[in-house]
Amino acid sequence: MFNENDIFHAQMFHLVASHDVAEIVHQAAMRTMSDEHPVMVLLERCASFPPSQSVQSLTILFSDGGSFDRAFFVTHYGAGQFVADIYPTVGAFQANYLATDLTARGLINSTFGPELKHFPFYDDAKVLRDGIFEFITTFVNAYYPTEALVATDPELAAWFAEASTFAQVIDFPCAPKDGKPTLCDRATLIEVLTHMAYLTGVQHHALNTGDPVYSSGTLPFHPTALYAPLPTTKNITSAQLVSLMPPPSDALFQI
């Protein structure tokens, strides 16, 4: 039962925290920056899921008789409500920077309780994030050797304003104040681009590629739904256990 809930939560979390956030930031850039702008070129490289894929996913997943209705214990209506409920939290941009998020949850740099002895995800993700940060720092400094060049880039300013206003990206930096644009610096731009690359690469693939294929999405250990009432006593029989598993047709659909 834990595994069943885990695979649903992981897929919904990946959809909201990776796709929903990165896609609207990317689309805001598409509306405000030319294709030749160096930041736009980098964002295009990071955007592994184009807008057309989102439309297709909505049709496949969140429709009558779609994947949620057929495979999961939650219908597409329930899945959509779950997305709406968690988006204000996991959809925030700066609050979900790797170290910021884990610190807020007390998983690292905690001021209470004992330190975690082992944190494999953070140990691996931090190395990848720091490598991305180093590359992005070199990239930004190459195109913007002075702070003045960032402050006077009209396309960059338009992107930040679009993301915070019309695109409604939660917690995006340098949001306009009193209807006037807020100037950003190189450090902020580096953090934004680092997070975009982290979201579309490290976080997305950890939640939706390697782990589900090799562990959390495998049968019979991780069914997307249980097909019989939960046992009310211990020491269930093999027949009772098998009855909880999906029939062959549904098992093939999950795979």
Side-chain angles (χ1 to χ4, degrees), residues 155-237:
E155 293 182 56
L156 200 61
W159 174 43
F160 275 85
E162 175 82 13
S164 299
T165 55
F166 294 109
Q168 300 181 22
V169 181
I170 301 174
D171 191 34
F172 202 74
C174 304
K177 296 180 180 179
D178 299 324
K180 298 180 180 179
T182 301
L183 298 180
C184 278
D185 54 17
R186 286 182 295 180
T188 302
L189 179 59
I190 289 169
E191 289 289 355
V192 167
L193 295 178
T194 297
H195 190 52
M196 282 291 288
Y198 169 78
L199 285 181
T200 59
V202 181
Q203 178 172 286
H204 176 270
H205 297 349
L207 290 169
N208 196 50
T209 307
D211 181 57
V213 171
Y214 292 106
S215 58
S216 67
T218 57
L219 288 170
F221 307 108
H222 292 78
T224 52
L226 299 180
Y227 288 75
L230 292 175
T232 57
T233 59
K234 295 182 178 181
N235 302 318
I236 64 173
T237 65

Side-chain angles (χ1 to χ4, degrees), residues 74-117:
V74 178
T75 67
H76 72 282
Y77 291 108
Q81 185 60 54
F82 188 85
V83 167
D85 288 344
I86 68 172
Y87 180 73
T89 301
V90 303
F93 196 83
Q94 296 178 89
N96 282 291
Y97 289 172
L98 179 62
T100 304
D101 173 41
L102 298 180
T103 298
R105 290 196 271 166
L107 297 173
I108 62 172
N109 306 322
S110 178
T111 57
F112 59 90
E115 182 180 353
L116 293 177
K117 294 181 179 180

Side-chain angles (χ1 to χ4, degrees), residues 42 130-140:
L42 181 65
D130 290 350
I132 294 171
F133 179 83
E134 183 178 351
F135 169 80
I136 296 295
T137 299
T138 301
F139 175 88
V140 169

